[in-house]
Amino acid sequence: MSESKLAGQFFDAAIGLLQRVRDEEGANVAAAGTAIADTVAAGGRLFAFGAGHSSLAAQDVVYRAGGLALMNLLAVPGTVGVDVTPATLGSALERVDGLAGAVLDSSPARPGDVLVIISLSGRNSLPVEMAMNARALGLKVIGVTSLAYTEGTKSRHVSGTFLRDHCDIVLDSKIAVGDAELTHEAIPAPFAPASTVVTSALMQAMMAAAAESLAERGIEPPLLRSGNVDGGHEWNGRVLTEYGDRIFFRH
């Protein structure tokens, strides 16, 4: 069977976006990594939040081999993935005012911690209010979003602002409005979204920058190893015990 032309075009589009974020977002990625390293070194905690498919990139840095053990998922019930029925409920909850404040108030987050908020459009009430409330509580906020949406769409928050307006550091995924990289004359809708690929890469690059910054200070990054390699469980047990007061996904 011959190769798919469209599949190849998607790979090219994804690679092109990855090259753009590497070249254009390097300073912001480094700044985000430094902020995370500062928090780890100061005894703070790390949290990541995303709703819908943006939650995939948040989950990708929580409790995984090669990742920082201190990264915790700040979950908003009903908005993580497509595990609610109907699935459209998750999208509706992203537009509910006041939900972010209630979640933050009941979370273990405290001043000095870092919260990474992932939202492709950055226009819905939930990520905007999450950032606003987090900063009011004294957290440092890193936003991972597409700045194209701030120019091509209108905010759904009463303030008229976007996620980018309430962050200490912003990483731009460069994803075009609509999140579909391909079109075809015989297919009526655009297709092949690349936001998950690019956003996850930004998250992992940020984690790598954080590990680098910690190592430069002579601090061993609290990394997890794969449980499928010899000694992995023992290694992880040590790390989880040593940093247990800053890890909340075991409770």
Side-chain angles (χ1 to χ4, degrees):
M1 181 179 293
S2 61
E3 294 183 1
S4 166
K5 178 180 178 181
L6 289 176
Q9 289 179 359
F10 175 76
F11 281 121
D12 290 341
I15 291 168
L17 284 164
L18 290 171
Q19 290 176 330
R20 280 194 65 195
V21 297
R22 179 196 64 191
D23 296 341
E24 299 174 18
E25 294 300 306
N28 293 327
V29 169
T34 297
I36 289 172
D38 289 345
T39 300
V40 172
R45 290 82 64 81
L46 310 173
F47 299 89
F49 163 77
H53 286 94
S54 290
S55 72
L56 296 175
Q59 294 177 60
D60 194 45
V61 294
V62 177
Y63 186 56
R64 71 163 305 153
L68 289 174
L70 305 190
M71 184 60 75
N72 301 278
L73 183 68
L74 184 64
V76 177
T79 69
V80 181
V82 291
D83 58 343
V84 293
T85 303
T88 51
L89 174 61
S91 297
L93 289 173
E94 292 185 57
R95 303 169 192 172
V96 174
D97 295 334
L99 185 56
V103 169
L104 274 171
D105 288 344
S106 61
S107 78
R110 66 187 185 190
D113 292 345
V114 163
L115 173 59
V116 183
I117 300 176
I118 306 160
S119 174
L120 177 61
S121 72
R123 67 189 296 228
N124 288 314
S125 292
L126 186 54
V128 173
E129 289 189 355
M130 188 71 76
M132 294 173 69
N133 281 273
R135 291 182 89 185
L137 290 172
L139 279 72
K140 176 159 283 190
V141 177
I142 299 170
V144 185
T145 187
S146 169
L147 298 187
Y149 277 82
T150 65
E151 301 174 357
T153 67
K154 293 182 179 180
S155 170
R156 288 185 174 133
H157 188 256
V158 64
S159 67
T161 61
F162 288 78
L163 168 62
R164 67 168 294 178
D165 300 313
H166 306 284
C167 298
D168 297 285
I169 301 168
V170 175
L171 306 185
D172 181 10
S173 65
K174 317 294 182 182
I175 300 295
V177 175
D179 191 19
E181 294 301 318
L182 302 182
T183 59
H184 189 278
E185 59 184 10
I187 303 174
F191 55 100
S195 61
T196 303
V197 173
V198 177
T199 303
S200 292
L202 276 169
M203 294 293 289
Q204 294 298 346
M206 180 172 58
M207 295 297 103
E212 179 181 28
S213 182
L214 287 168
E216 289 174 346
R217 307 176 200 200
I219 300 173
E220 179 185 327
L223 297 169
L224 296 172
R225 293 189 178 221
S226 172
N228 295 313
V229 300
D230 293 342
H233 285 297
E234 292 76 14
W235 173 280
N236 292 341
R238 175 184 65 81
V239 173
L240 294 173
T241 298
E242 182 176 351
Y243 294 93
D245 60 331
R246 293 191 265 172
I247 298 170
F248 304 103
F249 49 76
R250 299 191 302 162
H251 300 170

